[in-house]
Amino acid sequence: MTLKRLFIQNLRNLEGVDIHPSSRVNLIFGENGSGKTSVLEAINLLALGRSFRSHKHKPLIRHQQTAFTVFGRVHTDDESEVPIGINRSLDGEAQFKANGVMVASAADLASHLPVQVINSDTFSLLEGSPKVRRQFIDWLVFHVEPQFFPTWKAIQRCLKHRNSLLRRDRIDRFELASWDQELAALTEKIHEFRSACMLQFSESFSQLLGEFLTLDGIRLSYYRGWDKERNYSEVLTEGLERDQRLGYTHLGSHRADLKITVNGQDAAELLSRGQQKLLVCALKIAQGYVFNQITGRKSIYLVDDLPAELDDKHRQLLVHWLDTMQTQVFITGVEQETLLSSWRDKTDVVPKMFHVEQGRVREVSEILTSGLNE
Ligand SMILES: Nc1ncnc2c1ncn2[C@@H]1O[C@H](COP(=O)(O)OP(=O)(O)O)[C@@H](O)[C@H]1O
Ligand SMILES: [Mg+2]
């Protein structure tokens, strides 16, 4: 799975970008504020229909413009080409297109372009809310289990109805029982999807972890969102009083989490910032690896401001793993030389380099010495 062409119009400070990325390594360099992260943001938009920086779409649209467009050609692993595109206007209107036809939602885009992001936000995976770790789990489940997304959507619908019932003064027991029954069946199903994926994931992760961190006792455990000794329909019945008091369903797959511990203690409390970053890198690499093992497909990696996030030694390690996976990567950084140096000893890959300057992106083949060639 590679992005062969990337076209961006009126996104942030990028007025018009049209590049042909390498199917392997793309190094994007330029001064702070030049537009590097915006290029990665464009790819993420294409992949997921949303930005990793903002939930709102207005800040994404270039000042004084009314819409942005991102278009890409995806070369699939079975050698076909799929054009995909997203367009969003100021009034909130969004259009997603894949293979020449409109698709209903961003989720329909997501299956075409599996993307993994490593940026400063990713590094708060351990200390952030369960939601971010749930999203992490679900990335893999979404991409390997076609029934995951419809099941997840149906659960959201059930929860919405159930929660609104809970808030009524008088609850219609019959109505509640029918929602509970449907919710319980769906919830057990999604738990099975998640636990199967996490089992496979934990194995690969343990093998990989040793390369990143010399630290014993790290354990991943998937929490389903309620007591594992109970079946979910019992949990709903027993928790009803509390749910009514709260006005929402307090246990369930929407509370799932990935608990990461070191000798039984929360990893976020114990590990240094640097160790946390390495652990997160290992998690991200393992995920792409397992995705590849299960599906035979490859995910694209977007790594923002690599030199700022990892020291030289660990940067080498991450680059080594990205190289081993033979997947397409986009890496940004301020200095061309620092980015390039990590790839020097990788003989089989010649990175493509893109220089970003005030919102313009151009491919360069030479080493730019600051101020001279520009
Ligand atoms: N909606 C917008 N319209 C025009 N410029 C914007 C918009 N949003 C952000 N910018 C500007 O775009 C520039 C690029 O930001 P960014 O991609 O984060 O740069 P980099 O990652 O290279 O530091 C910044 O200078 C920012 O002020
Ligand atoms: Mg940036």
Side-chain angles (χ1 to χ4, degrees):
M1 191 76 46
T2 56
L3 190 59
K4 288 198 81 173
R5 183 180 165 200
L6 177 65
F7 172 84
I8 309 166
Q9 193 174 41
N10 294 333
L11 179 80
R12 304 266 187 199
N13 70 336
L14 308 173
E15 184 181 356
V17 172
D18 193 356
I19 55 172
H20 293 79
S22 156
S23 60
R24 288 292 307 281
V25 183
N26 298 282
L27 305 178
I28 301 168
F29 66 99
E31 286 178 6
N32 280 324
S34 58
K36 304 177 298 295
T37 302
S38 303
V39 175
L40 300 191
E41 197 173 26
I43 302 173
N44 198 74
L45 276 161
L46 204 52
L48 292 170
R50 60 180 147 80
S51 159
F52 49 65
R53 280 205 280 201
S54 166
H55 294 295
K56 300 187 203 122
H57 62 277
K58 272 186 194 155
L60 302 175
I61 300 171
R62 194 163 175 263
H63 299 151
Q64 270 92 50
Q65 299 297 319
T66 54
F68 75 78
T69 304
V70 184
F71 168 83
R73 266 184 192 286
V74 178
H75 190 79
T76 66
D77 297 310
D78 62 8
E79 302 292 314
S80 58
E81 272 204 17
V82 182
I84 52 177
I86 172 170
N87 175 283
R88 275 208 95 133
S89 54
L90 269 183
D91 59 16
E93 186 92 9
Q95 289 184 333
F96 309 103
K97 250 185 175 179
N99 244 339
V101 291
M102 295 285 217
V103 291
S105 72
D108 295 307
L109 281 187
S111 55
H112 292 288
L113 198 63
V115 158
Q116 287 280 356
V117 180
I118 300 181
N119 63 12
S120 55
D121 289 339
T122 327
F123 292 127
S124 55
L125 187 73
L126 304 185
E127 58 200 8
S129 74
K131 187 178 173 195
V132 288
R133 286 180 299 278
R134 205 157 45 241
Q135 280 173 347
F136 176 81
I137 299 175
D138 287 347
W139 184 93
L140 189 61
V141 194
F142 173 89
H143 283 290
V144 305
E145 174 49 66
Q147 281 306 306
F148 168 77
F149 189 62
T151 311
W152 182 87
K153 262 201 336 211
I155 288 180
Q156 305 308 308
R157 193 177 64 96
C158 279
L159 281 172
K160 202 171 142 213
H161 283 284
R162 186 177 195 269
N163 292 346
S164 83
L165 267 185
L166 292 171
R167 290 187 203 112
R168 288 195 199 147
D169 294 334
R170 279 178 57 86
I171 295 183
D172 179 337
R173 297 276 156 173
F174 183 75
E175 203 181 337
L176 183 73
S178 95
W179 283 116
D180 280 7
Q181 198 183 6
E182 191 180 341
L183 182 61
L186 291 163
T187 300
E188 297 286 357
K189 201 164 138 190
I190 219 157
H191 159 62
E192 274 170 37
F193 294 154
R194 282 174 173 163
S195 77
C197 268
M198 282 300 109
L199 193 66
Q200 204 160 348
F201 177 78
S202 297
E203 281 169 22
S204 292
F205 173 71
S206 313
Q207 288 168 11
L208 229 155
L209 185 68
E211 304 249 353
F212 279 88
L213 267 176
T214 41
L215 203 73
D216 289 331
I218 295 194
R219 205 170 153 241
L220 292 187
S221 56
Y222 155 67
Y223 167 64
R224 67 188 69 193
W226 72 93
D227 182 353
K228 65 176 187 297
E229 307 296 333
R230 319 301 302 263
N231 72 50
Y232 187 56
S233 60
E234 279 171 19
V235 168
L236 284 177
T237 314
E238 282 160 20
L240 179 61
E241 231 173 79
R242 180 159 176 210
D243 285 353
Q244 270 182 290
R245 231 179 312 119
L246 293 168
Y248 60 85
T249 310
H250 74 285
L251 293 171
S253 61
H254 56 294
R255 301 290 298 274
D257 196 356
L258 186 65
K259 312 239 171 184
I260 306 168
T261 53
V262 184
N263 297 320
Q265 204 181 331
D266 189 351
E269 287 169 11
L270 196 79
L271 300 185
S272 72
R273 185 89 187 127
Q275 286 174 317
Q276 290 193 30
K277 286 184 178 182
L278 298 177
L279 182 55
V280 170
C281 285
L283 284 164
K284 288 278 173 172
I285 295 288
Q287 204 166 51
Y289 188 75
V290 176
F291 170 68
N292 180 245
Q293 275 183 325
I294 301 178
T295 65
R297 298 165 69 203
K298 286 178 178 173
S299 62
I300 295 176
Y301 278 79
L302 310 179
V303 187
D304 198 19
D305 220 352
L306 179 65
E309 296 293 350
L310 291 178
D311 62 24
D312 188 40
K313 181 173 155 225
H314 295 114
R315 205 154 63 220
Q316 295 288 349
L317 199 56
L318 180 63
V319 159
H320 164 71
W321 272 102
L322 291 170
D323 186 49
T324 306
M325 298 222 296
Q326 306 213 333
T327 186
Q328 188 178 33
V329 297
F330 293 83
I331 303 182
T332 70
V334 175
E335 305 222 338
Q336 181 185 23
E337 179 54 33
T338 318
L339 283 181
L340 200 54
S341 62
S342 315
W343 294 91
R344 282 257 158 73
D345 56 340
K346 312 274 176 287
T347 46
D348 64 327
V349 43
V350 181
K352 267 199 183 184
M353 295 175 287
F354 297 93
H355 184 215
V356 189
E357 201 181 12
Q358 291 177 17
R360 280 187 301 277
V361 183
R362 72 184 168 102
E363 191 182 332
V364 293
S365 52
E366 76 278 30
I367 306 284
L368 299 186
T369 38
S370 48
L372 284 178
N373 292 350
E374 297 177 39

